[in-house]
Amino acid sequence: QTEQNGFANLPCRYQNHGSVYPLLQGKTLENRIRELVKKGRKESILDMLKGMYESIFAQRVKLPDYQTETFREVFGNCQGKEYYECVRPANIDLICANMFEEDGTYKIIDYEWTFDFAVPVAFIMWRLTNELYYRIPQLGALVERETLNQEFGIADSDEEIFRSWTMHFVYMYVGSDSLDPYRKEKIPVNLSDIVRKYHDKERLHCKLYYDNGKGLSETDTIEQTVKLERGRFQVTFDMSRIRNLEALRWN
């Protein structure tokens, strides 16, 4: 089935040992959103995405038994919620770069990952928004992800479920793909800094400067590190080898 209310898969035909598609005029939804981001038009972006959602997923229905054996073969055994709103057939690679809008109807390209079993709409939209934020990094400063998640029924508890389904689909079912849009944000960690900060909380670093007639300098010092116990410390400096002591400064 290539056509439904609100959208149509771009028809193709087999010719000369290859697939031939008609030429599409216009801009993809991704390019249109990219232009709106540059203009700072947040509400227009939300209206465009909501319009697409209501048009393409108009036939969504709540299903309690969507995780069939076939579903698990494609997406793995991670247990999802008891029920989601689902569509069937389902194009799980429905991203804004693959959609053109003309007169209120969306023409879809690259629809090879369309399955004839029910798939949660929230999962499809989660993949769509991840791809959108990855391809248009500036979008995040204008529209927070939480805003789109709430709009399209994606709960915080869905994130790990959908990520698990995607990983199984990519690694086990397809075998290869780019996972960059679905990665968690990287947090740079320097273990040496962590150890140092931990030790700083329990230890006191101090330095004793001594003047033996030449004035205070960094070369004439004694350093000690002592452990703090209940906010108190005791430190001892051995000055038996210092001669002609005239002044001290303790840091």
Side-chain angles (χ1 to χ4, degrees):
Q1 186 177 5
T2 60
E3 296 187 13
Q4 293 188 11
N5 293 335
F7 75 94
N9 291 332
L10 187 66
C12 66
R13 68 180 187 276
Y14 184 74
Q15 180 178 322
N16 297 329
H17 307 290
S19 298
V20 178
Y21 295 86
L23 177 64
L24 281 177
Q25 301 292 335
K27 299 177 180 179
T28 64
L29 258 65
E30 180 183 300
N31 286 335
R32 293 176 61 187
I33 291 174
R34 193 185 304 275
E35 293 176 353
L36 292 173
V37 169
K38 292 180 180 179
K39 297 176 181 178
R41 296 174 59 181
K42 175 180 178 178
E43 294 304 321
S44 297
I45 295 172
L46 293 175
D47 289 343
M48 181 178 295
L49 290 174
K50 287 189 285 187
M52 176 274 298
Y53 178 84
E54 292 299 335
S55 179
I56 292 181
F57 299 117
Q59 307 300 319
R60 63 189 184 276
V61 293
K62 289 184 178 180
L63 293 176
D65 53 356
Y66 62 93
Q67 284 191 277
T68 61
E69 182 178 345
T70 306
F71 182 98
R72 294 180 185 276
E73 178 184 349
V74 177
F75 299 115
N77 295 319
C78 179
Q79 184 64 43
K81 289 184 177 178
E82 184 177 352
Y83 66 84
Y84 286 100
E85 289 188 333
C86 299
V87 288
R88 176 181 180 180
N91 177 0
I92 68 162
D93 202 26
L94 191 70
I95 59 176
C96 291
N98 291 345
M99 287 186 276
F100 294 77
E101 189 268 334
E102 293 181 359
D103 301 324
T105 299
Y106 296 87
K107 295 188 182 300
I108 312 298
I109 63 174
D110 294 344
Y111 44 83
E112 66 269 26
W113 294 114
T114 299
F115 295 99
D116 62 358
F117 55 81
V119 175
V121 171
F123 176 47
I124 299 174
M125 288 302 299
W126 179 80
R127 288 174 57 87
L128 181 150
T129 54
N130 269 284
E131 185 77 18
L132 196 58
Y133 279 102
Y134 173 68
R135 295 169 71 97
I136 310 177
Q138 302 84 354
L139 177 62
L142 189 63
V143 182
E144 294 182 352
R145 291 195 184 206
E146 289 75 9
T147 300
L148 293 186
N149 284 349
Q150 292 177 7
E151 185 65 41
F152 301 124
I154 303 171
D156 291 342
S157 57
D158 292 325
E159 293 273 358
E160 289 302 321
I161 297 171
F162 294 167
R163 185 172 285 107
S164 176
W165 290 354
T166 295
M167 295 302 179
H168 187 278
F169 172 71
V170 168
Y171 281 126
M172 306 304 295
Y173 189 79
V174 178
S176 64
D177 196 359
S178 173
L179 291 174
D180 284 342
Y182 312 106
R183 73 187 189 279
K184 292 184 177 180
E185 294 296 329
K186 295 181 179 179
I187 302 175
V189 175
N190 187 314
L191 294 180
S192 296
D193 286 344
I194 294 175
V195 172
R196 178 181 55 78
K197 290 178 181 179
Y198 175 78
H199 285 164
D200 285 346
K201 293 180 180 180
E202 294 190 338
R203 297 181 181 182
L204 175 70
H205 304 278
C206 53
K207 182 184 293 188
L208 182 69
Y209 294 79
Y210 58 89
D211 179 4
N212 55 6
K214 301 178 183 178
L216 298 174
S217 69
E218 289 294 334
T219 58
D220 297 327
T221 63
I222 303 174
E223 296 185 41
Q224 288 277 30
T225 299
V226 295
K227 186 175 181 180
L228 291 170
E229 295 183 359
R230 298 181 180 179
R232 299 182 179 184
F233 69 92
Q234 178 176 325
V235 60
T236 302
F237 296 96
D238 182 3
M239 305 182 64
S240 60
R241 297 183 181 181
I242 300 175
R243 298 290 181 268
N244 304 319
L245 182 63
E246 294 187 5
L248 294 171
R249 190 181 80 186
W250 177 66
N251 284 3

